[in-house]
Amino acid sequence: MSHTPTLVVIGNGMVGQHFLASLVNSPAKARFHIVVFCEEPRPAYDRVHLSEYFAGKTAQDLSLVPDGFFAEHGITVHVGDKAKTIDRAAKTVISERGVVIAYDTLVLATGSYPFVPPVPGHDRPQCLVYRTIEDLDAIQSAAARSQVGVVVGGGLLGLEAAKALTDLGLTTHVVEFAPRLMAVQLDEGGGALLKSKIEALGVSVHLNKNTTLIDDGNTCLHKMNFAGGDVLETDLILFSAGIRPRDDLASASGLAVGPRGGIVIDNQCRTSDPAIFAIGECALWNNRIFGLVAPGYAMARAVVSVLEGADSGFTGADMSTKLKLMGVDVASIGDAHAATPGALVYTYQDGDSGVYKRLVVSADKKTLLGAVLVGEAADYGTLLQYCLNGITLPEHPEALILPRLSGEPVGLGADALPASAQICSCHNVSKGDICCAIEAGNTSLGALKHATQAATGCGGCSALLKSVLDAELTKQGIAVNTDLCEHFPHTRQGLYHLVMIEEIKTFAELLDKHGRGRGCEVCKQAVGSILASYWNDYILNNAHLGLQDTNDAFLANIQKDGTYSVIPRVAGGEIEPDKLIVLGQVAKKYKLYTKITGGQRVDLLGARVDQLPLIWRELVDAGFESGHAYGKSLRTVKSCVGSTWCRYGVDDSVSLALALENRYKGLRSPHKIKFAVSGCTRECAEAQSKDIGVIATEHGWNLYVCGNGGMKPRHADLFATQLDQATLIKYIDRILIFYVRTADRLQRTSVWMNNLEGGLAYLQSVVIDDSLGLGEALEAQMRHVVDTYQCEWKTTLDDPNKLKRFRHFVNSDQPDDHVVFVQERGQIRPARDEERAVLKTHKHFPLLEEA
């Protein structure tokens, strides 16, 4: 009987799983029986986006292992079982549970562990690390019993951990031994600006601090004692002071390790034992440990290549990185510290805008060696390609980091990149790979991502991937159709400009002048939204009525059983007791289901269409207005109780929330928009998950933009800090009208901003710097919206002809007898099909009630 060699993989983290994913797509896979030891209680998950666990993502959401992956590929996996011993003489691996596996080839992907400084007291309760999902569960549990948190370490992971503590509502400090944050990636100027931005967000930063003792605090659980006599009290300590390679298993088996740790490997990722490979953060290549995931992936692919019999190996990796730390753009490329002999340095700093840029070039000014970007990193993709591909710099390299005062971009087009240019470092996808995939028919961005895996790792190359796609489609003569639909050869933005410039007020007029045919549901609703947002007319005017979807047509949200929900506006979540009583009386009178919404309002569900005007009348008479819950418009402005009641509040979040909701409540937009105002950085109103989020600080209001919940949640970006209320409202006016004017149909603010050329930085230049000269016009348009506001419920109630629409049958005032409810938990719900069948068969069902 022939022997099938066994390949054992110890470790199923991100790098270990990437090795398996690469191997199963390789001809080398057929040669092996594969066994995997996974020490954690779950297979590989995404540690790069681990902080999103605090934002609501589950362990399953973060999983990197497709359902059925191991079974599909015949891989034996031991989850929750740690490899304990490697017997190199017998070529076996023995696990803690006593499993013994003989191997022919062994791959070590054991990763790293967090370094905890051996300071006395480091093992006290609520002194934790930030590495695994179990660590995050422990942090959440400890945070619930804490008010103050400290992160020891001001590197990448330390600042991610600081954001996690801030999101959990703690007063947060960062303690760093070095003289600046992110000392490995940033120079002194970049580190200083990052520190100021982090502190503006309410996090205290302590540099040059050496902790000598952790003991009992006076007001908190712990007291951190620093060299020099300073102290800092805290309830929770998170150690994020770097990593150490997990080489204990290898060292115990006699494999060569470095003087400071790490399993020594060669260019083929082989250890001192030819049958054993090591990849990822446990491996020491050329006396260097790589602490990013992309080099680990490159090592994994190198081993697969060796198993295939190829000569290629691992020759190092680019350590450039771009990320957003607590809403602050930070990027580092190549030789950021100008260590190359003869290197020239250009720096640009805008203290007003909070932007710092540093360019490191060769002595002959022809080659980009490195760069640092803090506060605005839109140029990262361009600068990275200059650096990686040795592309000759322009005559004046400083132009790459200076402001584009003329509005003309300075950078690389996709055509300037060679086929060998690496577009996606996570999955090693070159421009040539992408071009081949496009030629094979993958002409949409989604299909291209699926075919190449580009932009599916950290996502940092998404914009560049889109640029390559657009350039290749243009070269192939494939037109990218941006028409709204077959009836209008224009984008939504183009139609908006036509409406604005030509003062077109109806769909019929727009179709006659610029369209063809009769229109469709796509263009009718899009144009209806454009007309409503620009002119702010009553949407049920006869000229507009046919443009509305079902919800807008009846000014209420239709539900699964054909009934409607009614949501009156409760601005800022503040409501007088008398109005609260009215809601209960109306719900009781019309037998409606009641629920508190996530936006601090009360939803009344189960109303028949003929009941809507009756319900509105009682609500309007009590002082309520339409909450616009049915429209693509402002929904809610959520708020905490702020400084009025809360002991942590630093400003009156309720008053501001009321002012904002009452100002913008009539605005129609391409998609629904939501606001929130938090009275302090504890963030009880969840402002950083909203389209417009406002957070009070001791120095003014911080403005966040373009966040959202939904199917693809996104944290908002920090837009401006320390604003007075007048400036805050001016900026919001400009942002919202610019969004309404330029966004695509049904495009959320987050997608809209990401699609803007220059993203957040461009939006800041338009709104704050008025780079397009539109500021006054945008504000004037918002004043028109505010001045022409009307409650659509009240306008409808005042028009007898409009009220005729609100009945189930045109020729009868009888209600729809197919609407049937079930009593459950003291309220109604729509009857299920089987319950309707019982009613129909027996003519009686005690739990059912006909509406």
Side-chain angles (χ1 to χ4, degrees), residues 143-178:
R145 304 186 296 272
S146 305
Q147 293 185 349
V148 182
V150 168
V151 176
V152 177
L156 294 174
L157 289 177
L159 295 180
E160 282 284 337
K163 182 181 187 308
L165 293 188
T166 303
D167 289 345
L168 290 170
L170 302 188
T171 299
T172 304
H173 300 260
V174 172
V175 172
E176 169 57 46
F177 179 78

mmCIF file of all heavy atoms in Angstrom, residues 143-178:
data_model
loop_
_atom_site.group_PDB
_atom_site.id
_atom_site.type_symbol
_atom_site.label_atom_id
_atom_site.label_comp_id
_atom_site.label_asym_id
_atom_site.label_seq_id
_atom_site.Cartn_x
_atom_site.Cartn_y
_atom_site.Cartn_z
ATOM 1 N N ALA A 143 -14.596 46.204 31.795
ATOM 2 C CA ALA A 143 -15.005 47.587 31.528
ATOM 3 C C ALA A 143 -16.338 47.905 32.185
ATOM 4 O O ALA A 143 -16.590 49.048 32.581
ATOM 5 C CB ALA A 143 -15.080 47.826 30.025
ATOM 6 N N ALA A 144 -17.199 46.902 32.286
ATOM 7 C CA ALA A 144 -18.505 47.125 32.918
ATOM 8 C C ALA A 144 -18.370 47.472 34.389
ATOM 9 O O ALA A 144 -19.284 48.043 34.979
ATOM 10 C CB ALA A 144 -19.376 45.871 32.737
ATOM 11 N N ARG A 145 -17.210 47.148 34.968
ATOM 12 C CA ARG A 145 -16.978 47.441 36.391
ATOM 13 C C ARG A 145 -15.976 48.582 36.562
ATOM 14 O O ARG A 145 -15.459 48.792 37.662
ATOM 15 C CB ARG A 145 -16.427 46.187 37.089
ATOM 16 C CG ARG A 145 -17.294 44.949 36.961
ATOM 17 C CD ARG A 145 -16.739 43.793 37.803
ATOM 18 N NE ARG A 145 -15.432 43.349 37.339
ATOM 19 C CZ ARG A 145 -15.238 42.427 36.407
ATOM 20 N NH1 ARG A 145 -16.284 41.861 35.819
ATOM 21 N NH2 ARG A 145 -14.023 42.068 36.045
ATOM 22 N N SER A 146 -15.696 49.300 35.491
ATOM 23 C CA SER A 146 -14.623 50.297 35.521
ATOM 24 C C SER A 146 -15.104 51.650 35.025
ATOM 25 O O SER A 146 -16.093 51.745 34.294
ATOM 26 C CB SER A 146 -13.446 49.826 34.662
ATOM 27 O OG SER A 146 -12.986 48.546 35.057
ATOM 28 N N GLN A 147 -14.353 52.673 35.418
ATOM 29 C CA GLN A 147 -14.582 54.022 34.909
ATOM 30 C C GLN A 147 -13.369 54.565 34.168
ATOM 31 O O GLN A 147 -13.497 55.385 33.268
ATOM 32 C CB GLN A 147 -14.949 54.974 36.051
ATOM 33 C CG GLN A 147 -16.284 54.667 36.702
ATOM 34 C CD GLN A 147 -16.665 55.703 37.745
ATOM 35 O OE1 GLN A 147 -15.852 56.537 38.122
ATOM 36 N NE2 GLN A 147 -17.905 55.645 38.203
ATOM 37 N N VAL A 148 -12.176 54.101 34.551
ATOM 38 C CA VAL A 148 -10.933 54.583 33.950
ATOM 39 C C VAL A 148 -10.158 53.392 33.404
ATOM 40 O O VAL A 148 -10.074 52.344 34.060
ATOM 41 C CB VAL A 148 -10.070 55.346 34.974
ATOM 42 C CG1 VAL A 148 -8.787 55.878 34.315
ATOM 43 C CG2 VAL A 148 -10.858 56.489 35.603
ATOM 44 N N GLY A 149 -9.594 53.557 32.196
ATOM 45 C CA GLY A 149 -8.786 52.508 31.592
ATOM 46 C C GLY A 149 -7.475 53.063 31.076
ATOM 47 O O GLY A 149 -7.414 54.208 30.615
ATOM 48 N N VAL A 150 -6.416 52.256 31.148
ATOM 49 C CA VAL A 150 -5.091 52.646 30.651
ATOM 50 C C VAL A 150 -4.610 51.582 29.681
ATOM 51 O O VAL A 150 -4.724 50.383 29.950
ATOM 52 C CB VAL A 150 -4.077 52.800 31.807
ATOM 53 C CG1 VAL A 150 -2.661 52.919 31.260
ATOM 54 C CG2 VAL A 150 -4.401 54.021 32.642
ATOM 55 N N VAL A 151 -4.066 52.020 28.556
ATOM 56 C CA VAL A 151 -3.389 51.134 27.622
ATOM 57 C C VAL A 151 -1.899 51.386 27.744
ATOM 58 O O VAL A 151 -1.440 52.528 27.613
ATOM 59 C CB VAL A 151 -3.840 51.381 26.169
ATOM 60 C CG1 VAL A 151 -3.038 50.504 25.209
ATOM 61 C CG2 VAL A 151 -5.322 51.092 26.019
ATOM 62 N N VAL A 152 -1.147 50.338 28.006
ATOM 63 C CA VAL A 152 0.306 50.444 28.064
ATOM 64 C C VAL A 152 0.838 50.094 26.689
ATOM 65 O O VAL A 152 0.808 48.941 26.272
ATOM 66 C CB VAL A 152 0.895 49.512 29.141
ATOM 67 C CG1 VAL A 152 2.419 49.586 29.132
ATOM 68 C CG2 VAL A 152 0.350 49.871 30.511
ATOM 69 N N GLY A 153 1.294 51.097 25.955
ATOM 70 C CA GLY A 153 1.799 50.898 24.602
ATOM 71 C C GLY A 153 1.110 51.828 23.630
ATOM 72 O O GLY A 153 -0.123 51.833 23.535
ATOM 73 N N GLY A 154 1.900 52.624 22.920
ATOM 74 C CA GLY A 154 1.338 53.592 21.978
ATOM 75 C C GLY A 154 1.611 53.249 20.532
ATOM 76 O O GLY A 154 1.725 54.142 19.686
ATOM 77 N N GLY A 155 1.699 51.957 20.232
ATOM 78 C CA GLY A 155 1.864 51.528 18.851
ATOM 79 C C GLY A 155 0.527 51.293 18.177
ATOM 80 O O GLY A 155 -0.524 51.736 18.659
ATOM 81 N N LEU A 156 0.561 50.570 17.044
ATOM 82 C CA LEU A 156 -0.670 50.317 16.289
ATOM 83 C C LEU A 156 -1.722 49.637 17.156
ATOM 84 O O LEU A 156 -2.863 50.099 17.259
ATOM 85 C CB LEU A 156 -0.364 49.436 15.071
ATOM 86 C CG LEU A 156 0.524 50.022 13.978
ATOM 87 C CD1 LEU A 156 0.824 48.959 12.934
ATOM 88 C CD2 LEU A 156 -0.161 51.203 13.324
ATOM 89 N N LEU A 157 -1.351 48.526 17.775
ATOM 90 C CA LEU A 157 -2.322 47.774 18.565
ATOM 91 C C LEU A 157 -2.733 48.550 19.808
ATOM 92 O O LEU A 157 -3.876 48.470 20.252
ATOM 93 C CB LEU A 157 -1.734 46.418 18.961
ATOM 94 C CG LEU A 157 -1.575 45.413 17.821
ATOM 95 C CD1 LEU A 157 -0.923 44.132 18.334
ATOM 96 C CD2 LEU A 157 -2.927 45.090 17.191
ATOM 97 N N GLY A 158 -1.801 49.324 20.379
ATOM 98 C CA GLY A 158 -2.136 50.102 21.564
ATOM 99 C C GLY A 158 -3.211 51.129 21.295
ATOM 100 O O GLY A 158 -4.146 51.303 22.088
ATOM 101 N N LEU A 159 -3.124 51.811 20.159
ATOM 102 C CA LEU A 159 -4.124 52.817 19.836
ATOM 103 C C LEU A 159 -5.451 52.162 19.451
ATOM 104 O O LEU A 159 -6.522 52.725 19.702
ATOM 105 C CB LEU A 159 -3.608 53.724 18.718
ATOM 106 C CG LEU A 159 -2.383 54.565 19.124
ATOM 107 C CD1 LEU A 159 -1.918 55.432 17.968
ATOM 108 C CD2 LEU A 159 -2.686 55.430 20.336
ATOM 109 N N GLU A 160 -5.391 50.985 18.830
ATOM 110 C CA GLU A 160 -6.634 50.232 18.588
ATOM 111 C C GLU A 160 -7.287 49.871 19.929
ATOM 112 O O GLU A 160 -8.506 49.975 20.090
ATOM 113 C CB GLU A 160 -6.331 48.961 17.793
ATOM 114 C CG GLU A 160 -6.121 49.170 16.315
ATOM 115 C CD GLU A 160 -7.429 49.405 15.583
ATOM 116 O OE1 GLU A 160 -8.483 48.993 16.082
ATOM 117 O OE2 GLU A 160 -7.389 50.019 14.500
ATOM 118 N N ALA A 161 -6.465 49.449 20.874
ATOM 119 C CA ALA A 161 -6.996 49.096 22.196
ATOM 120 C C ALA A 161 -7.571 50.320 22.899
ATOM 121 O O ALA A 161 -8.598 50.237 23.578
ATOM 122 C CB ALA A 161 -5.891 48.460 23.043
ATOM 123 N N ALA A 162 -6.921 51.475 22.720
ATOM 124 C CA ALA A 162 -7.434 52.704 23.337
ATOM 125 C C ALA A 162 -8.796 53.060 22.776
ATOM 126 O O ALA A 162 -9.691 53.502 23.504
ATOM 127 C CB ALA A 162 -6.440 53.843 23.103
ATOM 128 N N LYS A 163 -8.962 52.876 21.480
ATOM 129 C CA LYS A 163 -10.271 53.139 20.884
ATOM 130 C C LYS A 163 -11.317 52.201 21.474
ATOM 131 O O LYS A 163 -12.455 52.607 21.743
ATOM 132 C CB LYS A 163 -10.227 52.969 19.373
ATOM 133 C CG LYS A 163 -11.574 53.281 18.718
ATOM 134 C CD LYS A 163 -11.530 53.084 17.230
ATOM 135 C CE LYS A 163 -12.837 53.570 16.602
ATOM 136 N NZ LYS A 163 -14.034 52.989 17.224
ATOM 137 N N ALA A 164 -10.932 50.933 21.671
ATOM 138 C CA ALA A 164 -11.874 49.973 22.246
ATOM 139 C C ALA A 164 -12.333 50.422 23.632
ATOM 140 O O ALA A 164 -13.526 50.387 23.948
ATOM 141 C CB ALA A 164 -11.227 48.588 22.319
ATOM 142 N N LEU A 165 -11.407 50.872 24.461
ATOM 143 C CA LEU A 165 -11.784 51.329 25.803
ATOM 144 C C LEU A 165 -12.670 52.563 25.734
ATOM 145 O O LEU A 165 -13.618 52.714 26.516
ATOM 146 C CB LEU A 165 -10.531 51.620 26.627
ATOM 147 C CG LEU A 165 -9.646 50.431 26.987
ATOM 148 C CD1 LEU A 165 -8.566 50.853 27.975
ATOM 149 C CD2 LEU A 165 -10.462 49.287 27.563
ATOM 150 N N THR A 166 -12.350 53.467 24.808
ATOM 151 C CA THR A 166 -13.187 54.662 24.648
ATOM 152 C C THR A 166 -14.587 54.279 24.223
ATOM 153 O O THR A 166 -15.584 54.806 24.748
ATOM 154 C CB THR A 166 -12.557 55.606 23.603
ATOM 155 O OG1 THR A 166 -11.229 55.932 24.003
ATOM 156 C CG2 THR A 166 -13.360 56.887 23.478
ATOM 157 N N ASP A 167 -14.692 53.347 23.269
ATOM 158 C CA ASP A 167 -16.006 52.889 22.811
ATOM 159 C C ASP A 167 -16.797 52.230 23.934
ATOM 160 O O ASP A 167 -18.033 52.249 23.926
ATOM 161 C CB ASP A 167 -15.854 51.908 21.648
ATOM 162 C CG ASP A 167 -15.388 52.578 20.364
ATOM 163 O OD1 ASP A 167 -15.467 53.821 20.296
ATOM 164 O OD2 ASP A 167 -14.948 51.866 19.448
ATOM 165 N N LEU A 168 -16.086 51.644 24.891
ATOM 166 C CA LEU A 168 -16.747 50.995 26.018
ATOM 167 C C LEU A 168 -17.116 51.986 27.122
ATOM 168 O O LEU A 168 -17.620 51.589 28.163
ATOM 169 C CB LEU A 168 -15.852 49.888 26.585
ATOM 170 C CG LEU A 168 -15.689 48.653 25.693
ATOM 171 C CD1 LEU A 168 -14.604 47.733 26.227
ATOM 172 C CD2 LEU A 168 -17.002 47.895 25.551
ATOM 173 N N GLY A 169 -16.836 53.276 26.883
ATOM 174 C CA GLY A 169 -17.292 54.309 27.807
ATOM 175 C C GLY A 169 -16.320 54.677 28.905
ATOM 176 O O GLY A 169 -16.703 55.384 29.847
ATOM 177 N N LEU A 170 -15.062 54.250 28.813
ATOM 178 C CA LEU A 170 -14.107 54.541 29.863
ATOM 179 C C LEU A 170 -13.341 55.836 29.574
ATOM 180 O O LEU A 170 -13.083 56.177 28.422
ATOM 181 C CB LEU A 170 -13.097 53.392 30.002
ATOM 182 C CG LEU A 170 -13.653 52.001 30.302
ATOM 183 C CD1 LEU A 170 -12.509 51.044 30.600
ATOM 184 C CD2 LEU A 170 -14.626 52.029 31.461
ATOM 185 N N THR A 171 -12.974 56.531 30.628
ATOM 186 C CA THR A 171 -11.984 57.598 30.515
ATOM 187 C C THR A 171 -10.650 56.911 30.244
ATOM 188 O O THR A 171 -10.195 56.089 31.035
ATOM 189 C CB THR A 171 -11.909 58.419 31.809
ATOM 190 O OG1 THR A 171 -13.182 59.007 32.055
ATOM 191 C CG2 THR A 171 -10.849 59.499 31.704
ATOM 192 N N THR A 172 -10.030 57.252 29.116
ATOM 193 C CA THR A 172 -8.934 56.427 28.610
ATOM 194 C C THR A 172 -7.613 57.178 28.580
ATOM 195 O O THR A 172 -7.552 58.357 28.213
ATOM 196 C CB THR A 172 -9.271 55.918 27.190
ATOM 197 O OG1 THR A 172 -10.514 55.210 27.237
ATOM 198 C CG2 THR A 172 -8.190 54.992 26.669
ATOM 199 N N HIS A 173 -6.550 56.471 28.963
ATOM 200 C CA HIS A 173 -5.182 56.993 28.927
ATOM 201 C C HIS A 173 -4.314 56.030 28.112
ATOM 202 O O HIS A 173 -4.548 54.816 28.123
ATOM 203 C CB HIS A 173 -4.589 57.104 30.337
ATOM 204 C CG HIS A 173 -5.347 58.008 31.251
ATOM 205 N ND1 HIS A 173 -4.950 59.306 31.525
ATOM 206 C CD2 HIS A 173 -6.491 57.801 31.966
ATOM 207 C CE1 HIS A 173 -5.802 59.853 32.366
ATOM 208 N NE2 HIS A 173 -6.748 58.967 32.654
ATOM 209 N N VAL A 174 -3.308 56.570 27.438
ATOM 210 C CA VAL A 174 -2.285 55.762 26.767
ATOM 211 C C VAL A 174 -0.944 56.104 27.395
ATOM 212 O O VAL A 174 -0.569 57.276 27.486
ATOM 213 C CB VAL A 174 -2.243 56.038 25.251
ATOM 214 C CG1 VAL A 174 -1.049 55.337 24.605
ATOM 215 C CG2 VAL A 174 -3.535 55.591 24.588
ATOM 216 N N VAL A 175 -0.239 55.065 27.846
ATOM 217 C CA VAL A 175 1.076 55.237 28.457
ATOM 218 C C VAL A 175 2.109 54.617 27.527
ATOM 219 O O VAL A 175 2.021 53.425 27.192
ATOM 220 C CB VAL A 175 1.136 54.566 29.847
ATOM 221 C CG1 VAL A 175 2.561 54.570 30.395
ATOM 222 C CG2 VAL A 175 0.185 55.271 30.811
ATOM 223 N N GLU A 176 3.091 55.413 27.101
ATOM 224 C CA GLU A 176 4.084 54.955 26.138
ATOM 225 C C GLU A 176 5.491 55.235 26.663
ATOM 226 O O GLU A 176 5.790 56.334 27.122
ATOM 227 C CB GLU A 176 3.873 55.651 24.791
ATOM 228 C CG GLU A 176 4.983 55.467 23.766
ATOM 229 C CD GLU A 176 5.261 54.009 23.444
ATOM 230 O OE1 GLU A 176 4.299 53.245 23.215
ATOM 231 O OE2 GLU A 176 6.442 53.631 23.422
ATOM 232 N N PHE A 177 6.363 54.223 26.569
ATOM 233 C CA PHE A 177 7.737 54.347 27.037
ATOM 234 C C PHE A 177 8.557 55.269 26.132
ATOM 235 O O PHE A 177 9.416 56.018 26.598
ATOM 236 C CB PHE A 177 8.378 52.962 27.095
ATOM 237 C CG PHE A 177 9.812 52.964 27.538
ATOM 238 C CD1 PHE A 177 10.140 53.106 28.875
ATOM 239 C CD2 PHE A 177 10.846 52.827 26.607
ATOM 240 C CE1 PHE A 177 11.471 53.117 29.292
ATOM 241 C CE2 PHE A 177 12.165 52.839 27.016
ATOM 242 C CZ PHE A 177 12.489 52.979 28.359
ATOM 243 N N ALA A 178 8.255 55.239 24.822
ATOM 244 C CA ALA A 178 9.017 56.022 23.840
ATOM 245 C C ALA A 178 8.605 57.497 23.883
ATOM 246 O O ALA A 178 7.586 57.862 24.482
ATOM 247 C CB ALA A 178 8.794 55.458 22.437
#
